[in-house]
Amino acid sequence: MATVNVYLTFNGNCREAFEFYRSVFGTEFPYIGTFGEMPPMEGHELSEEDKNKVMHVTLPISKETMLLGSDTTGESLSGHQQGNNFSISINAESKEEADILFNGLSAGGKVTMPMEDTFWGAYFGMFTDKFGINWMVNYDDPAKVQHQ
């Protein structure tokens, strides 16, 4: 069965927000990485400011729940709006389950990133469903995931 978590998006203050959340929940980050640590992508050059922004952070809340987050950069900045700056993140147990969930939930909605293998080793996609809710679907293939 898939697990569901909340993924928060920030406009440059993700690190500050997650340091605050960490102080409240009393847990530690298993991973926090910046856009500058990503492999270069042709046609997607980053400003020095964007290189220091958080690409992804994970904060465990309980054995079952994680709070996830990132900053926005480039084109994504124009769509960032406080109050709807979150997505529901589903972590599937198989690639097949990820495809079923992605295809089912995105029906009638807008796919912003089709399901595909990523540089960090996951099979991942994003969409906004027909009700305006943002979703992320992820499958961490144990044979491919980079452990940080």
Side-chain angles (χ1 to χ4, degrees):
M1 180 62 93
T3 57
V4 176
N5 294 294
V6 177
Y7 200 105
L8 304 173
T9 308
F10 296 87
N11 189 5
N13 61 339
C14 181
R15 186 179 302 273
E16 176 187 358
F18 269 77
E19 289 291 346
F20 170 73
Y21 302 146
R22 182 175 66 111
S23 74
V24 173
F25 289 108
T27 57
E28 294 300 322
F29 306 126
Y31 179 77
I32 185 167
T34 65
F35 284 99
E37 296 168 333
M38 288 185 349
M41 293 179 4
E42 194 170 318
H44 294 282
E45 285 70 34
L46 295 171
S47 68
E48 286 305 311
E49 179 184 0
D50 283 350
K51 287 180 182 178
N52 292 318
K53 289 182 176 180
V54 173
M55 179 198 70
H56 181 73
V57 60
T58 303
L59 181 66
I61 304 301
S62 71
K63 288 191 309 187
E64 301 84 20
T65 308
M66 301 272 220
L67 192 58
L68 310 168
S70 70
D71 281 312
T72 55
T73 61
E75 296 171 8
S76 300
L77 281 172
S78 63
H80 181 269
Q81 182 179 0
Q82 276 187 295
N84 75 348
N85 54 329
F86 65 92
S87 298
I88 298 172
S89 176
I90 301 174
N91 200 37
E93 291 186 346
S94 69
K95 192 171 185 177
E96 295 74 25
E97 182 183 38
D99 283 333
I100 289 167
L101 294 170
F102 185 92
N103 293 332
L105 290 167
S106 67
K110 180 182 178 195
V111 173
T112 51
M113 180 179 174
M115 292 300 294
E116 60 186 38
D117 291 323
T118 63
F119 70 85
W120 65 87
Y123 183 59
F124 178 82
M126 300 186 302
F127 60 92
T128 302
D129 73 17
K130 63 184 176 183
F131 302 103
I133 304 299
N134 297 317
W135 295 82
M136 299 174 166
V137 177
N138 186 80
Y139 167 61
D140 291 322
D141 184 338
K144 295 181 182 176
V145 175
Q146 300 172 3
H147 294 283
Q148 309 257 342

